[in-house]
Coordinates of all heavy atoms in Angstrom, one line a residue:
M1 N 0.8 -1.2 0.0 CA 0.0 0.0 0.0 C 0.9 1.3 0.0 O 1.8 1.3 0.9 CB -0.9 0.0 1.2 CG -1.9 1.0 1.2 SD -3.0 0.9 2.8 CE -4.5 1.5 2.2
Q2 N 0.6 2.1 -0.9 CA 1.4 3.3 -1.0 C 1.0 4.3 0.1 O -0.1 4.5 0.4 CB 1.0 4.0 -2.4 CG 2.1 4.9 -2.9 CD 1.7 5.3 -4.3 OE1 0.8 5.0 -4.9 NE2 2.6 6.2 -4.9
E3 N 2.1 5.0 0.6 CA 1.8 6.0 1.7 C 1.2 7.2 1.2 O 1.4 7.6 0.0 CB 3.1 6.3 2.4 CG 3.7 5.1 3.2 CD 4.4 5.7 4.4 OE1 4.3 6.8 4.8 OE2 5.1 4.8 5.0
T4 N 0.4 7.9 2.0 CA -0.2 9.1 1.5 C 0.9 10.3 1.7 O 1.4 10.5 2.7 CB -1.4 9.4 2.5 OG1 -2.3 8.3 2.4 CG2 -2.1 10.6 2.0
T5 N 0.9 11.1 0.6 CA 1.8 12.3 0.7 C 1.2 13.5 1.4 O 0.0 13.4 1.7 CB 2.2 12.7 -0.6 OG1 1.1 13.2 -1.4 CG2 2.8 11.6 -1.5
D6 N 2.0 14.4 1.7 CA 1.5 15.7 2.4 C 0.5 16.3 1.5 O -0.6 16.8 1.9 CB 2.7 16.6 2.7 CG 2.2 17.9 3.4 OD1 1.5 17.9 4.3 OD2 2.6 18.9 2.7
I7 N 0.8 16.3 0.2 CA -0.1 17.0 -0.8 C -1.4 16.3 -0.8 O -2.5 16.9 -0.7 CB 0.5 17.2 -2.1 CG1 1.6 18.2 -2.0 CG2 -0.6 17.5 -3.2 CD1 2.4 18.5 -3.3
E8 N -1.4 15.0 -0.8 CA -2.7 14.1 -0.8 C -3.4 14.4 0.5 O -4.7 14.6 0.4 CB -2.3 12.7 -1.0 CG -1.8 12.3 -2.4 CD -1.3 11.0 -2.4 OE1 -1.0 10.3 -1.4 OE2 -0.9 10.5 -3.6
T9 N -2.9 14.5 1.6 CA -3.4 14.8 2.9 C -4.2 16.2 2.7 O -5.4 16.3 3.2 CB -2.5 14.7 4.0 OG1 -1.9 13.5 4.0 CG2 -3.2 15.1 5.3
R10 N -3.4 17.2 2.3 CA -4.1 18.5 2.1 C -5.2 18.5 1.2 O -6.3 19.1 1.4 CB -3.0 19.5 1.7 CG -2.0 19.8 2.8 CD -0.8 20.6 2.4 NE -1.2 21.9 1.9 CZ -0.3 22.8 1.2 NH1 0.9 22.3 0.9 NH2 -0.6 23.9 0.7
V11 N -5.1 17.7 0.1 CA -6.3 17.6 -1.0 C -7.4 16.9 -0.3 O -8.6 17.4 -0.4 CB -5.8 16.8 -2.2 CG1 -7.0 16.5 -3.0 CG2 -4.8 17.7 -2.9
M12 N -7.2 15.9 0.6 CA -8.3 15.3 1.3 C -9.0 16.2 2.2 O -10.3 16.1 2.4 CB -7.8 14.0 2.0 CG -7.4 12.9 1.0 SD -7.0 11.3 1.7 CE -5.3 11.6 2.1
K13 N -8.3 17.0 2.9 CA -8.9 18.0 3.9 C -9.8 19.0 3.1 O -10.9 19.2 3.5 CB -7.8 18.7 4.7 CG -7.1 17.9 5.6 CD -6.1 18.7 6.5 CE -5.4 17.7 7.5 NZ -4.2 18.5 8.1
V14 N -9.4 19.5 2.0 CA -10.0 20.5 1.1 C -11.3 19.6 0.6 O -12.4 20.2 0.7 CB -9.3 21.0 0.0 CG1 -10.1 21.8 -1.0 CG2 -8.2 21.8 0.5
L15 N -11.2 18.4 0.2 CA -12.3 17.6 -0.3 C -13.4 17.4 0.8 O -14.6 17.5 0.5 CB -11.8 16.4 -0.9 CG -12.9 15.4 -1.4 CD1 -13.6 16.1 -2.6 CD2 -12.3 14.1 -2.0
A16 N -12.9 17.0 1.9 CA -13.9 16.8 3.1 C -14.6 18.1 3.4 O -15.8 18.1 3.7 CB -13.1 16.2 4.4
D17 N -13.9 19.2 3.4 CA -14.6 20.5 3.5 C -15.7 20.8 2.5 O -16.8 21.2 2.9 CB -13.5 21.6 3.6 CG -14.1 23.0 4.0 OD1 -14.8 23.1 4.9 OD2 -13.9 23.9 3.2
V18 N -15.3 20.5 1.3 CA -16.3 20.7 0.2 C -17.5 19.8 0.3 O -18.5 20.2 -0.1 CB -15.5 20.6 -1.2 CG1 -16.6 20.6 -2.2 CG2 -14.5 21.7 -1.3
L19 N -17.3 18.6 0.7 CA -18.3 17.6 0.8 C -19.1 17.8 2.1 O -19.8 17.1 2.5 CB -17.7 16.2 0.8 CG -17.2 15.7 -0.5 CD1 -16.4 14.4 -0.3 CD2 -18.2 15.7 -1.6
S20 N -19.1 19.1 2.6 CA -19.9 19.6 3.7 C -19.7 18.7 4.9 O -20.7 18.3 5.6 CB -21.4 19.6 3.3 OG -21.4 20.5 2.2
R21 N -18.5 18.1 5.1 CA -18.2 17.4 6.3 C -19.0 16.0 6.3 O -19.2 15.5 7.4 CB -18.4 18.2 7.7 CG -17.5 19.4 7.7 CD -16.1 19.0 7.9 NE -15.1 20.1 8.0 CZ -13.9 20.0 7.9 NH1 -13.3 18.9 7.6 NH2 -13.2 21.1 8.0
R22 N -19.4 15.6 5.2 CA -20.1 14.3 5.1 C -19.0 13.2 5.5 O -19.4 12.1 5.9 CB -20.6 14.0 3.7 CG -21.8 14.8 3.3 CD -22.3 14.4 2.0 NE -21.4 14.8 1.0 CZ -21.9 15.2 -0.2 NH1 -23.1 15.3 -0.6 NH2 -20.9 15.6 -1.1
L23 N -17.8 13.5 5.2 CA -16.6 12.6 5.6 C -15.6 13.4 6.3 O -15.3 14.6 6.0 CB -16.1 12.0 4.3 CG -17.0 11.1 3.4 CD1 -16.3 10.8 2.2 CD2 -17.2 9.8 4.1
E24 N -14.8 12.7 7.0 CA -13.6 13.2 7.7 C -12.4 12.9 6.7 O -12.5 11.9 5.9 CB -13.3 12.6 9.0 CG -14.3 13.0 10.2 CD -14.3 14.5 10.4 OE1 -13.3 15.1 10.5 OE2 -15.3 15.0 10.6
P25 N -11.4 13.7 6.6 CA -10.3 13.4 5.8 C -9.7 12.1 5.9 O -9.3 11.4 4.9 CB -9.2 14.5 6.1 CG -10.1 15.6 6.7 CD -11.2 15.0 7.4
A26 N -9.8 11.5 7.1 CA -9.2 10.1 7.3 C -10.1 9.1 6.7 O -9.6 8.0 6.6 CB -9.0 10.0 8.9
Q27 N -11.3 9.4 6.4 CA -12.2 8.5 5.8 C -12.1 8.4 4.3 O -12.7 7.5 3.6 CB -13.6 8.7 6.2 CG -14.0 8.6 7.6 CD -15.4 9.1 7.9 OE1 -15.7 10.3 7.8 NE2 -16.3 8.1 8.1
I28 N -11.3 9.3 3.8 CA -11.1 9.4 2.4 C -9.9 8.7 1.9 O -8.8 9.0 2.4 CB -11.1 10.8 1.8 CG1 -12.3 11.6 2.2 CG2 -10.8 10.9 0.4 CD1 -12.3 13.1 2.0
S29 N -10.0 7.7 1.1 CA -8.9 6.9 0.6 C -8.2 7.8 -0.6 O -9.0 8.4 -1.4 CB -9.3 5.6 0.0 OG -8.3 5.0 -0.8
P30 N -6.9 7.8 -0.8 CA -6.3 8.4 -1.8 C -6.6 7.9 -3.2 O -6.5 8.6 -4.2 CB -4.7 8.3 -1.6 CG -4.5 7.8 -0.2 CD -5.9 7.1 0.2
D31 N -7.1 6.6 -3.3 CA -7.5 6.1 -4.5 C -8.9 6.0 -4.8 O -9.3 5.5 -5.9 CB -6.9 4.6 -4.5 CG -5.4 4.6 -4.4 OD1 -4.7 5.4 -5.2 OD2 -4.9 3.9 -3.5
V32 N -9.8 6.5 -4.0 CA -11.2 6.6 -4.2 C -11.6 7.6 -5.4 O -11.1 8.5 -5.4 CB -12.0 6.6 -2.9 CG1 -11.9 8.2 -2.5 CG2 -13.5 6.4 -3.1
D33 N -12.6 7.2 -6.1 CA -13.0 8.1 -7.2 C -13.8 9.2 -6.5 O -14.9 8.9 -5.9 CB -13.9 7.3 -8.2 CG -14.3 8.1 -9.4 OD1 -14.9 9.3 -9.2 OD2 -14.0 7.7 -10.5
M34 N -13.5 10.4 -6.6 CA -14.1 11.5 -6.0 C -15.5 11.8 -6.5 O -16.4 12.2 -5.8 CB -13.3 12.8 -6.2 CG -12.1 12.8 -5.4 SD -11.2 14.4 -5.4 CE -10.2 14.3 -6.8
V35 N -15.8 11.5 -7.8 CA -17.1 11.7 -8.4 C -18.0 10.5 -8.3 O -19.1 10.6 -7.7 CB -17.0 12.1 -9.9 CG1 -18.4 12.3 -10.6 CG2 -16.2 13.4 -10.1
A36 N -17.6 9.3 -8.7 CA -18.4 8.2 -8.7 C -18.7 7.6 -7.4 O -19.8 7.2 -7.1 CB -17.8 7.0 -9.7
V37 N -17.7 7.6 -6.5 CA -17.9 7.0 -5.2 C -18.3 8.0 -4.1 O -19.2 7.8 -3.3 CB -16.5 6.3 -4.8 CG1 -16.7 5.6 -3.4 CG2 -16.3 5.2 -5.7
L38 N -17.6 9.1 -4.1 CA -17.9 10.2 -3.1 C -19.1 11.1 -3.4 O -19.5 11.9 -2.6 CB -16.6 11.0 -2.8 CG -15.5 10.2 -2.1 CD1 -14.3 11.1 -1.9 CD2 -15.9 9.4 -0.9
G39 N -19.5 11.1 -4.7 CA -20.6 11.9 -5.0 C -20.3 13.4 -5.3 O -21.2 14.2 -5.2
L40 N -19.0 13.7 -5.5 CA -18.8 15.1 -5.9 C -19.6 15.6 -7.0 O -19.3 15.0 -8.2 CB -17.2 15.3 -6.1 CG -16.7 16.7 -6.2 CD1 -16.6 17.4 -4.8 CD2 -15.2 16.6 -6.8
D41 N -20.4 16.5 -6.9 CA -21.1 17.0 -8.0 C -20.5 18.2 -8.7 O -19.4 18.7 -8.2 CB -22.7 17.3 -7.7 CG -22.8 18.5 -6.6 OD1 -21.9 19.4 -6.7 OD2 -23.7 18.6 -6.0
S42 N -21.1 18.7 -9.7 CA -20.5 19.7 -10.5 C -20.2 21.1 -9.7 O -19.1 21.7 -9.9 CB -21.3 20.1 -11.8 OG -22.5 20.5 -11.4
L43 N -21.1 21.5 -8.9 CA -21.0 22.6 -8.0 C -19.9 22.5 -7.0 O -19.0 23.4 -6.8 CB -22.2 23.2 -7.5 CG -23.3 23.7 -8.4 CD1 -24.6 24.0 -7.6 CD2 -22.8 24.9 -9.1
E44 N -19.9 21.3 -6.5 CA -18.9 20.9 -5.4 C -17.5 20.9 -6.1 O -16.5 21.3 -5.5 CB -19.2 19.6 -4.8 CG -20.4 19.8 -3.8 CD -20.9 18.5 -3.3 OE1 -20.7 17.4 -4.0 OE2 -21.4 18.4 -2.2
A45 N -17.5 20.4 -7.2 CA -16.2 20.2 -8.0 C -15.6 21.6 -8.3 O -14.3 21.8 -8.2 CB -16.4 19.5 -9.4
I46 N -16.4 22.6 -8.6 CA -15.9 23.9 -8.9 C -15.4 24.5 -7.5 O -14.3 25.1 -7.5 CB -17.1 24.8 -9.5 CG1 -17.4 24.3 -10.9 CG2 -16.6 26.3 -9.4 CD1 -18.6 25.0 -11.4
E47 N -16.2 24.3 -6.5 CA -15.8 24.8 -5.2 C -14.4 24.1 -4.7 O -13.5 24.8 -4.3 CB -16.8 24.5 -4.1 CG -16.4 25.0 -2.8 CD -17.6 24.7 -1.7 OE1 -18.6 24.2 -2.0 OE2 -17.3 25.0 -0.6
F48 N -14.3 22.8 -5.0 CA -13.1 22.1 -4.7 C -11.9 22.7 -5.5 O -10.8 22.9 -4.8 CB -13.3 20.7 -5.1 CG -12.1 19.8 -5.0 CD1 -11.6 19.5 -3.7 CD2 -11.5 19.3 -6.1 CE1 -10.4 18.7 -3.7 CE2 -10.4 18.6 -6.1 CZ -9.9 18.1 -4.9
L49 N -12.1 23.0 -6.8 CA -10.9 23.5 -7.6 C -10.5 24.8 -7.1 O -9.4 25.1 -7.0 CB -11.4 23.4 -9.1 CG -11.6 22.0 -9.6 CD1 -12.2 22.1 -11.0 CD2 -10.3 21.2 -9.6
L50 N -11.5 25.7 -6.7 CA -11.2 27.0 -6.3 C -10.4 27.0 -5.0 O -9.5 27.6 -4.7 CB -12.4 27.9 -6.2 CG -13.0 28.2 -7.6 CD1 -14.4 28.9 -7.4 CD2 -12.2 29.0 -8.4
K51 N -11.0 26.1 -4.1 CA -10.3 25.9 -2.7 C -8.9 25.4 -2.9 O -8.0 25.6 -2.1 CB -11.2 25.1 -1.8 CG -12.3 25.9 -1.2 CD -13.2 25.2 -0.3 CE -14.2 25.9 0.2 NZ -14.7 25.6 1.6
I52 N -8.7 24.5 -3.8 CA -7.4 23.9 -4.1 C -6.4 25.0 -4.5 O -5.2 25.1 -4.1 CB -7.4 22.7 -5.1 CG1 -8.0 21.5 -4.5 CG2 -6.1 22.4 -5.7 CD1 -7.3 20.8 -3.4
E53 N -7.0 25.9 -5.4 CA -6.1 27.0 -5.8 C -5.6 27.7 -4.7 O -4.5 28.2 -4.6 CB -6.8 27.9 -6.9 CG -7.0 27.2 -8.2 CD -7.6 28.2 -9.2 OE1 -8.4 28.9 -8.9 OE2 -7.1 28.1 -10.4
D54 N -6.5 28.1 -3.7 CA -6.2 28.9 -2.6 C -5.2 28.1 -1.8 O -4.3 28.7 -1.2 CB -7.5 29.3 -1.7 CG -8.3 30.3 -2.5 OD1 -7.8 31.0 -3.5 OD2 -9.5 30.5 -2.1
E55 N -5.5 26.9 -1.4 CA -4.8 26.1 -0.5 C -3.3 25.9 -0.9 O -2.4 26.0 -0.2 CB -5.2 24.6 -0.3 CG -4.5 23.6 0.4 CD -4.5 23.8 1.9 OE1 -5.4 24.5 2.4 OE2 -3.5 23.4 2.5
F56 N -3.1 25.8 -2.3 CA -1.7 25.5 -2.7 C -1.1 26.8 -3.5 O 0.0 26.6 -4.0 CB -1.7 24.4 -3.7 CG -2.0 23.0 -3.0 CD1 -3.3 22.5 -2.9 CD2 -1.0 22.4 -2.4 CE1 -3.5 21.2 -2.2 CE2 -1.2 21.2 -1.7 CZ -2.5 20.7 -1.7
D57 N -1.9 27.9 -3.5 CA -1.4 29.1 -4.2 C -0.9 28.8 -5.7 O 0.2 29.1 -6.0 CB -0.4 29.8 -3.4 CG 0.0 31.2 -4.0 OD1 -1.0 31.8 -4.4 OD2 1.1 31.7 -3.8
I58 N -1.8 28.1 -6.4 CA -1.6 27.7 -7.8 C -2.8 28.2 -8.6 O -3.8 28.6 -8.1 CB -1.4 26.2 -7.9 CG1 -2.7 25.4 -7.5 CG2 -0.1 25.8 -7.2 CD1 -2.5 24.0 -7.8
E59 N -2.6 28.1 -9.9 CA -3.6 28.4 -10.9 C -3.8 27.2 -11.7 O -2.9 26.6 -12.3 CB -3.2 29.6 -11.9 CG -3.5 30.9 -11.3 CD -3.4 32.0 -12.3 OE1 -3.8 31.8 -13.3 OE2 -2.8 33.1 -11.9
L60 N -5.0 26.6 -11.7 CA -5.4 25.4 -12.4 C -5.8 25.8 -13.8 O -6.3 26.9 -14.1 CB -6.4 24.6 -11.7 CG -6.1 24.1 -10.3 CD1 -7.3 23.5 -9.6 CD2 -5.0 23.0 -10.4
D61 N -5.5 24.9 -14.7 CA -5.8 25.1 -16.1 C -7.2 24.4 -16.3 O -7.4 23.4 -16.8 CB -4.8 24.5 -17.0 CG -5.1 24.7 -18.5 OD1 -6.1 25.4 -18.9 OD2 -4.3 24.3 -19.3
F62 N -8.3 25.3 -16.1 CA -9.7 24.8 -16.2 C -10.1 24.2 -17.4 O -10.7 23.3 -17.6 CB -10.6 25.8 -15.6 CG -10.6 26.1 -14.2 CD1 -9.8 27.2 -13.7 CD2 -11.2 25.3 -13.1 CE1 -9.8 27.5 -12.4 CE2 -11.0 25.5 -11.8 CZ -10.4 26.6 -11.5
E63 N -9.5 24.8 -18.5 CA -9.9 24.3 -19.9 C -9.4 23.0 -20.2 O -10.0 22.2 -20.9 CB -9.3 25.4 -20.9 CG -10.0 26.7 -20.9 CD -9.5 27.6 -22.0 OE1 -8.9 27.1 -22.9 OE2 -9.8 28.8 -21.8
N64 N -8.2 22.5 -19.6 CA -7.6 21.3 -19.8 C -8.0 20.3 -18.7 O -7.5 19.1 -18.8 CB -6.1 21.4 -20.1 CG -5.9 22.0 -21.3 OD1 -6.5 21.8 -22.3 ND2 -5.0 23.0 -21.3
L65 N -8.6 20.7 -17.7 CA -9.1 19.7 -16.6 C -10.2 18.9 -17.1 O -11.2 19.5 -17.7 CB -9.4 20.4 -15.3 CG -8.2 20.9 -14.5 CD1 -8.7 21.6 -13.3 CD2 -7.2 19.7 -14.0
S66 N -10.4 17.7 -16.7 CA -11.4 16.8 -17.1 C -11.8 16.0 -15.8 O -11.2 16.0 -14.8 CB -11.1 15.9 -18.2 OG -10.2 14.9 -17.9
L67 N -12.9 15.2 -16.0 CA -13.3 14.3 -14.9 C -12.3 13.3 -14.6 O -12.2 12.8 -13.4 CB -14.7 13.7 -15.1 CG -15.9 14.5 -15.1 CD1 -17.1 13.7 -15.4 CD2 -16.1 15.0 -13.7
Q68 N -11.4 13.0 -15.6 CA -10.3 12.0 -15.2 C -9.4 12.5 -14.3 O -8.8 11.7 -13.5 CB -9.6 11.8 -16.6 CG -10.3 10.9 -17.5 CD -9.5 10.6 -18.7 OE1 -8.8 11.5 -19.2 NE2 -9.5 9.3 -19.2
H69 N -9.2 13.8 -14.1 CA -8.4 14.4 -13.1 C -8.9 14.2 -11.7 O -8.3 14.3 -10.6 CB -8.1 15.9 -13.3 CG -7.2 16.1 -14.5 ND1 -7.7 16.5 -15.7 CD2 -5.9 16.1 -14.7 CE1 -6.7 16.6 -16.6 NE2 -5.7 16.4 -16.0
L70 N -10.3 14.0 -11.7 CA -10.9 13.8 -10.4 C -11.2 12.3 -10.1 O -12.0 11.9 -9.2 CB -12.3 14.5 -10.3 CG -12.2 16.1 -10.5 CD1 -13.6 16.7 -10.6 CD2 -11.3 16.6 -9.4
D71 N -10.5 11.4 -10.8 CA -10.6 10.0 -10.5 C -10.3 9.6 -9.1 O -10.9 8.8 -8.5 CB -9.6 9.2 -11.4 CG -10.3 8.9 -12.9 OD1 -11.4 9.2 -13.1 OD2 -9.4 8.4 -13.8
S72 N -9.3 10.3 -8.6 CA -8.8 10.0 -7.2 C -8.0 11.2 -6.6 O -7.5 12.0 -7.4 CB -8.0 8.8 -7.1 OG -6.8 8.9 -7.7
V73 N -7.9 11.1 -5.4 CA -7.1 12.2 -4.7 C -5.6 12.1 -5.2 O -4.9 13.1 -5.5 CB -7.1 12.1 -3.2 CG1 -6.1 12.8 -2.5 CG2 -8.5 12.4 -2.6
R74 N -5.1 10.9 -5.4 CA -3.8 10.6 -5.9 C -3.5 11.1 -7.3 O -2.6 11.9 -7.6 CB -3.5 9.1 -5.8 CG -2.0 8.8 -6.1 CD -1.7 7.4 -5.6 NE -1.4 7.6 -4.2 CZ -1.7 6.7 -3.2 NH1 -2.4 5.6 -3.6 NH2 -1.5 6.9 -1.9
T75 N -4.5 11.0 -8.1 CA -4.4 11.5 -9.5 C -4.5 13.0 -9.5 O -3.7 13.6 -10.3 CB -5.7 10.9 -10.3 OG1 -5.6 9.5 -10.3 CG2 -5.6 11.5 -11.9
F76 N -5.4 13.5 -8.8 CA -5.5 15.1 -8.7 C -4.3 15.6 -8.2 O -3.8 16.7 -8.5 CB -6.8 15.5 -7.9 CG -7.0 16.9 -8.1 CD1 -7.5 17.5 -9.2 CD2 -6.7 17.7 -7.0 CE1 -7.7 18.8 -9.4 CE2 -6.8 19.0 -7.1 CZ -7.3 19.7 -8.3
S77 N -3.7 14.9 -7.0 CA -2.5 15.4 -6.4 C -1.3 15.5 -7.3 O -0.5 16.5 -7.2 CB -2.2 14.6 -5.2 OG -3.1 14.7 -4.2
A78 N -1.3 14.6 -8.4 CA -0.2 14.7 -9.3 C -0.3 16.0 -10.1 O 0.6 16.7 -10.5 CB -0.3 13.4 -10.1
E79 N -1.6 16.3 -10.5 CA -1.8 17.6 -11.1 C -1.4 18.8 -10.4 O -0.9 19.8 -10.8 CB -3.3 17.7 -11.5 CG -3.7 18.9 -12.3 CD -3.1 19.0 -13.7 OE1 -2.8 18.0 -14.2 OE2 -3.1 20.1 -14.2
V80 N -1.6 18.7 -9.0 CA -1.2 19.9 -8.1 C 0.2 20.0 -8.1 O 0.8 21.0 -8.3 CB -1.9 19.7 -6.7 CG1 -1.1 20.7 -5.8 CG2 -3.4 19.7 -6.7
V81 N 0.9 18.8 -8.0 CA 2.3 18.9 -7.9 C 3.0 19.5 -9.3 O 3.8 20.3 -9.3 CB 2.9 17.4 -7.8 CG1 4.4 17.4 -8.0 CG2 2.6 16.9 -6.3
A82 N 2.3 19.1 -10.4 CA 2.7 19.5 -11.7 C 2.6 21.1 -11.7 O 3.3 21.8 -12.4 CB 1.9 18.9 -12.9
R83 N 1.6 21.6 -11.2 CA 1.2 23.1 -11.2 C 2.2 23.9 -10.3 O 2.5 25.0 -10.4 CB -0.2 23.4 -10.7 CG -1.2 23.0 -11.8 CD -1.3 23.9 -12.8 NE -1.8 23.2 -14.0 CZ -1.5 23.4 -15.2 NH1 -0.5 24.2 -15.6 NH2 -1.9 22.6 -16.2
Q84 N 2.7 23.2 -9.3 CA 3.6 23.8 -8.4 C 5.1 23.9 -8.8 O 5.8 24.8 -8.5 CB 3.7 23.0 -7.0 CG 2.4 23.2 -6.2 CD 2.5 22.4 -4.8 OE1 3.1 21.4 -4.7 NE2 2.1 23.1 -3.8
E85 N 5.4 23.0 -9.8 CA 6.8 23.0 -10.3 C 6.9 24.2 -11.3 O 6.0 24.6 -12.0 CB 7.0 21.7 -11.1 CG 7.1 20.6 -10.1 CD 7.2 19.2 -10.9 OE1 7.2 19.2 -12.1 OE2 7.3 18.2 -10.2
P86 N 8.1 24.9 -11.2 CA 8.3 26.1 -12.1 C 8.3 25.7 -13.6 O 8.8 24.6 -13.9 CB 9.6 26.6 -11.7 CG 10.2 25.5 -10.8 CD 9.2 24.7 -10.5
S87 N 7.7 26.5 -14.4 CA 7.6 26.3 -15.7 C 9.1 26.4 -16.4 O 9.9 27.2 -15.9 CB 6.7 27.3 -16.5 OG 5.4 27.2 -16.0
R88 N 9.2 25.6 -17.3 CA 10.6 25.5 -17.9 C 10.6 26.3 -19.3 O 9.8 26.3 -20.0 CB 11.0 24.1 -18.1 CG 11.2 23.5 -16.8 CD 11.7 22.1 -16.9 NE 11.7 21.6 -15.5 CZ 11.6 20.3 -15.2 NH1 11.4 19.4 -16.0 NH2 11.6 20.1 -13.9

């Protein structure tokens, strides 16, 4: 089993907040599908993405984001890491 990274933990906290505290961060698996399993709807997804931008002080590329990016906390966290790295 892969360990949860600091970024994944922070993403799970934001996700739990957006899901109106239906779940605690510890109840969210890094590999669970945020849409299909946790029921993240379109309005919650927008709120989630905006809060992620604030949490990590990044700008997400909304035009190129898709539901695939919300497959799991782990998948989405990789996108956050990519946004934090300086452009070359």
Side-chain angles (χ1 to χ4, degrees):
M1 185 179 215
Q2 199 173 2
E3 289 214 15
T4 306
T5 66
D6 176 58
I7 289 176
E8 290 168 348
T9 300
R10 289 169 63 191
V11 169
M12 287 186 279
K13 286 179 182 175
V14 172
L15 182 59
D17 183 52
V18 169
L19 291 173
S20 304
R21 299 290 181 194
R22 290 183 289 218
L23 294 169
E24 292 296 317
Q27 295 174 289
I28 300 171
S29 162
D31 298 310
V32 71
D33 189 306
M34 292 190 268
V35 176
V37 177
L38 298 182
L40 188 72
D41 66 27
S42 57
L43 290 176
E44 290 170 330
I46 292 168
E47 181 183 357
F48 171 71
L49 296 172
L50 292 172
K51 286 185 177 208
I52 287 292
E53 286 186 324
D54 289 343
E55 173 71 21
F56 291 96
D57 193 26
I58 59 173
E59 280 190 41
L60 296 170
D61 184 0
F62 289 99
E63 289 182 20
N64 291 316
L65 283 177
S66 69
L67 283 180
Q68 285 181 322
H69 290 98
L70 299 176
D71 275 351
S72 70
V73 167
R74 187 159 281 141
T75 301
F76 188 76
S77 295
E79 181 67 22
V80 171
V81 169
R83 292 280 157 222
Q84 287 183 317
E85 293 175 355
S87 298
R88 293 179 186 154

